[in-house]
Amino acid sequence: METTSFLFLRLAVAISMFGHGLVRLPKLTAFSNWMVGSFENSMLPKTIVTPFSYLLPIAEFAIGFLLLLGLFTKPSLIAGSLVMLALLFGTSMIENWEAIPSQLIHISLFALLLHFADYNSWAIDTLIKK
């Protein structure tokens, strides 16, 4: 039963990340412009925000895709946690307090999944180990 619970939670986080990346990739430049504009009055320089705004949708898509497959699950969970930490920092810098609970929930789920990664039996990772 634990393996099924892990699968459902992994898939839920995967779909969230995958979906975020998937909808942003076709409009990458518009997304980047929006994000750079959001950080205009923050302490973060445009030279940091601009590359991050282009990398974020790619990272979200890749992390979500790998988690959907259950491939490189632990590294993907660590990468997802790092992305969420970066987002939390950025969100704090622009004082977007409304977005923080969602980001905290995401990082909590990443940490929970990482903690219980031994239950990741419904995954390509498991097939590779055999």
Side-chain angles (χ1 to χ4, degrees):
M1 191 56 99
E2 292 88 3
T3 59
T4 306
S5 298
F6 185 92
L7 173 66
F8 288 147
L9 190 56
R10 189 191 85 215
L11 291 176
V13 171
I15 290 168
S16 177
M17 293 298 284
F18 183 78
H20 273 86
L22 185 64
V23 300
R24 291 174 174 166
L25 283 174
K27 54 182 179 185
L28 196 51
T29 301
F31 174 76
S32 174
N33 290 338
W34 169 82
M35 183 174 258
V36 170
S38 297
F39 281 84
E40 215 167 43
N41 297 321
S42 77
M43 287 191 249
L44 296 175
K46 190 175 180 178
T47 56
I48 291 175
V49 176
T50 301
F52 184 81
S53 69
Y54 280 101
L55 291 174
L56 177 61
I58 296 165
E60 290 170 329
F61 179 84
I63 291 164
F65 184 70
L66 290 171
L67 289 174
L68 280 171
L69 297 176
L71 182 60
F72 305 117
T73 304
K74 284 183 182 179
S76 297
L77 292 170
I78 291 168
S81 297
L82 293 172
V83 166
M84 294 313 301
L85 288 172
L87 288 172
L88 276 165
F89 180 74
T91 301
S92 296
M93 292 297 97
I94 60 172
E95 301 182 74
N96 182 2
W97 310 123
E98 298 81 27
I100 288 184
S102 172
Q103 293 167 344
L104 287 172
I105 290 168
H106 274 82
I107 198 160
S108 298
L109 294 174
F110 276 115
L112 189 66
L113 286 166
L114 195 55
H115 182 76
F116 289 104
D118 291 341
Y119 292 110
N120 188 35
S121 60
W122 296 84
I124 291 177
D125 286 338
T126 306
L127 297 174
I128 293 171
K129 286 181 186 176
K130 291 184 179 183

